[in-house]
Amino acid sequence: MSSLPPYATTGQTIWYYAFRVICGLIFFFLIAPIIVIIPLSFNAENFFTFTPEMLRLDPDGYSLKHYQDFFTNSDWQAAMWNSLKIAPVATLLSVGFGTLAAIGLSQPHVPFRRAIMAILISPMIVPLIISAAGMYFFYSRIGLQGTYFGVVLAHAALGIPFVIITVTATLVGFDNSLTRAAANMGADPVTTFFRVQMPLILPGVISGALFAFITSFDEVVVVLFVGSAGQKTLPWQMFIGLREQISPTILAVATLLVAISICLLATLEILRRRSERLRGMSPG
Amino acid sequence: MSDATQDGPMLAADGTPLKRSLNRALRRQKLRALMLIAPLLIFVLITFIAPIADMLFRSVENDIVADTLPETVEVLADWDHTASDLPPDAIWPAFYTDMFFAEEKKLHTRLGTRLNYELTGVSSLFRKTGRAVGRFDTDTYTDQFTDLDESWEDPASWVTMMEDDATREALPMTASAWDRWTAYLDTEGDDPAEEDIEDLLFTMLYLDLAAQPPVSGLSERIQQAAAAVPSFETVDLQAQFLDADEDWADPQVWRVIQTYAPRYTPGYFLNAVDMQLTPEGVEMRPDNERIYGILFKRTIFMSVTITLSCILLGYPVAWILANLPMRTANLLMILVLLPFWTSLLVRTSAWKVLLQQQGVINDILVWLRLVDDGNRLIMMNNQFGTIVAMTHILLPFMILPLYSVMQTIPPTYLRAAKSLGATNWTAFWRVYFPQSVPGIGAGSILVFILAIGYYITPEIVGGTTGTFISNRIAYHISSSLNWGLAAALGTILLAVVLLLYWVYDRIVGIDNVKLG
């Protein structure tokens, strides 16, 4: 359906355009809710809808006061710092363990490969509420519930499947004769790993890390149960805000988070193109 | 590979048989792979699998009754509730001992809460009895013993008395109560030789001495007490309990304790499917208490609706993405990937803003005069809100697998069908659609698995009628504290998800999961 052939009947022409309109509406449905909160976050009033001033594009209708609130309110600031303290450490743990295991899993002869894979992927399959319930029960038993360390471990576990999937996918295209060549020239396994293998699988590792980071950074269900007030993260604070006293500051935070997602998306896209180029495929 | 000049097995360079040498190399390779995987495997087993196993265990675990009321449970084990209305008389001293320690350790309220899930009213019964048990009239015994001999008041003399094996044998109930008492003091960090002797111990001493003739060879103090005991003023423990709460005369209470005495119980699972474990066996709960059946049905119904909406909206989009020129398709792909990458809470808050009565959609409808300002539409805190918001959130999970399947369908097939005389519809329905079914299957299972366990979005936009089973699980963990029931509901949900996951693995294969 790349273009309308000249011999198309009227019915076909109508359908052709109708179909495009339908698709346009669905795309609109996908993107509009995210776009609409951006102007609303600059609302000068404490409303969640467009004021007449905003619709007239009157500068008085807009303000940065919700952003100001975010950057001065101690609750939001504490939440932001908690998020920034938890996510990178969790990411580091999942990437460190995950990359090693992915390399192990990509070896030609791995006993119980399917079973191991199923266990490692399970945090992604099990519904979050069940993971949260189990972790809450178990971590309270061993005294990790309500601690920073507990939340980091829980988030690392949730991020691992993403690292495993992205890194094993990169390793599928990895030419093992390169490591053999390195060994042949006298490099020890550690040098081979860091000088030969790592640079080549780096895009996969980085995108796995991004997935793990965003998993921890966005995660709310598990932290709600495993964490205590001292580990209140940004999504948790938003969740409280949405459930109890909804304040427009949430929209300012949401806009900032959308900006972060755009950056992440762009990074991933660049990485994808790079790895495709490396493999000799044409960039899309 | 037969070498005529060589006999025996083929040898490697170092002289070992080639087969063994190869095997050894293979084993080393396997070992190295496992060594690389081991740290992560152990990490996941501890941080994730163990918690899940713990949850499964908690759904059947029922230690609290046997741990809090050990002696009562022992007496109840021999009680046939069809033969006699109330348990044998031995229940009262046993229960007095158990309740005394439960109250000291403040465990009786927890036990009451646990049993209250099975029989309403038990919670207050235990609380009331816990308050009363320290004020029982059993101090009569204490007074009578100390009137005989002042030294009974001295805890140090009890310590020495209870070290004597012959005494312990002659006074079994006293000895067992004493052991629990010293064990309790030990956990508190107190010295038994310094704490006042409780009425409970004098009661047990009285009961021991009254039950059997005095044995010779015991200390003079005990002999003297044993001689005096028949003339003691007695306290009826049963009357004391009935005084605290007359429900203790209700056989139903005792039957519930008996039914839930075992350390493992199917009770939570039965609760989770609106059934009940009664002394008479398993039966359905009364109609007005059946909520989980409705909740499970609602969860399934809404997940199916969300999955169908995702197919309906995802299919055209995936088609157009797969059939447009690469450059345009990549641009449009951003519109799919951006929501995919945006925080779940951002999207949920966006829907809350859009759907509320004073929200953007209602404002637009009022402005377009489609809706009267007085009766704005209620689109949130009901099933509609949950379905719309979750369809939006899960739509990318449908589009991405559909898109990757549609990309592999050659457009020439459609052209061939049309050139053979098929109409557009026939060509699509008979040729294109069957080839895209694997994508629909993969996407549907993925969306359904994700939808069925959702918590955040239903919690925020679902109100009371748009919530899922997961909201109930969260409620039982954090509000009602019925962890066993939460674990049982979680286990059922997990079983459903794992079953679907197994189907997904058969159809798509877990190795084919693609991200981004």
Side-chain angles (χ1 to χ4, degrees), chain B residues 95-141:
Chain B
F95 190 52
Y96 177 39
T97 317
D98 286 338
M99 272 309 277
F100 173 80
F101 286 108
E103 203 275 332
E104 286 286 326
K105 296 179 196 160
K106 302 286 169 233
L107 290 176
H108 64 295
T109 48
R110 273 179 53 198
L111 177 64
T113 315
R114 163 67 187 99
L115 290 173
N116 203 56
Y117 302 143
E118 318 301 341
L119 182 68
T120 326
V122 178
S123 178
S124 69
L125 174 63
F126 268 90
R127 234 178 325 173
K128 238 160 127 187
T129 314
R131 275 199 302 273
V133 83
R135 291 200 295 267
F136 273 7
D137 291 338
T138 43
D139 54 343
T140 320
Y141 293 125

Side-chain angles (χ1 to χ4, degrees), chain B residues 6 58 136 146 186 194 222 272 296 508:
Chain B
Q6 192 185 337
R58 268 186 208 262
F136 273 7
T146 44
D186 205 36
E194 309 210 329
I222 300 174
F296 271 114
V508 193

Side-chain angles (χ1 to χ4, degrees), chain A residues 30 49 114 141 242 268, chain B residues 54 319 341 352 363 392 505:
Chain A
L30 269 170
T49 188
R114 275 185 77 83
R141 253 189 235 272
L242 282 173
L268 271 179
Chain B
D54 189 22
W319 159 283
W341 276 98
K352 185 155 185 170
D363 275 0
H392 175 253
D505 194 30

Side-chain angles (χ1 to χ4, degrees), chain A residues 120-271:
Chain A
L120 298 185
I121 300 290
S122 60
M124 194 174 78
I125 306 300
V126 175
L128 277 175
I129 185 73
I130 294 175
S131 316
M135 285 171 170
Y136 178 70
F137 296 147
F138 185 70
Y139 287 11
S140 352
R141 253 189 235 272
I142 57 175
L144 278 177
Q145 200 272 331
T147 64
Y148 166 76
F149 196 55
V151 176
V152 167
L153 287 184
H155 277 184
L158 295 180
I160 278 165
F162 298 100
V163 178
I164 293 283
I165 289 175
T166 51
V167 179
T168 38
T170 326
L171 281 167
V172 168
F174 183 77
D175 185 359
N176 264 316
S177 52
L178 292 175
T179 52
R180 267 178 249 133
N184 204 11
M185 292 176 165
D188 60 78
V190 179
T191 318
T192 315
F193 175 72
F194 281 107
R195 299 283 299 277
V196 178
Q197 198 163 16
M198 192 63 185
L200 282 168
I201 63 169
L202 199 60
V205 176
I206 293 179
S207 52
L210 287 179
F211 270 105
F213 182 84
I214 205 79
T215 305
S216 166
F217 198 73
D218 269 358
E219 207 292 318
V220 57
V221 186
V222 168
V223 77
L224 218 58
F225 287 97
V226 175
S228 62
Q231 289 84 44
K232 202 175 273 181
T233 57
L234 213 47
W236 186 346
Q237 184 70 28
M238 286 181 80
F239 181 65
I240 296 175
L242 282 173
R243 210 164 50 166
E244 286 148 24
Q245 14 74 315
I246 175 160
S247 102
T249 310
I250 287 178
L251 296 185
V253 181
T255 308
L256 292 174
L257 289 180
V258 170
I260 294 178
S261 331
I262 292 175
C263 294
L264 278 175
L265 185 60
T267 318
L268 271 179
E269 183 62 21
I270 292 167
L271 284 173

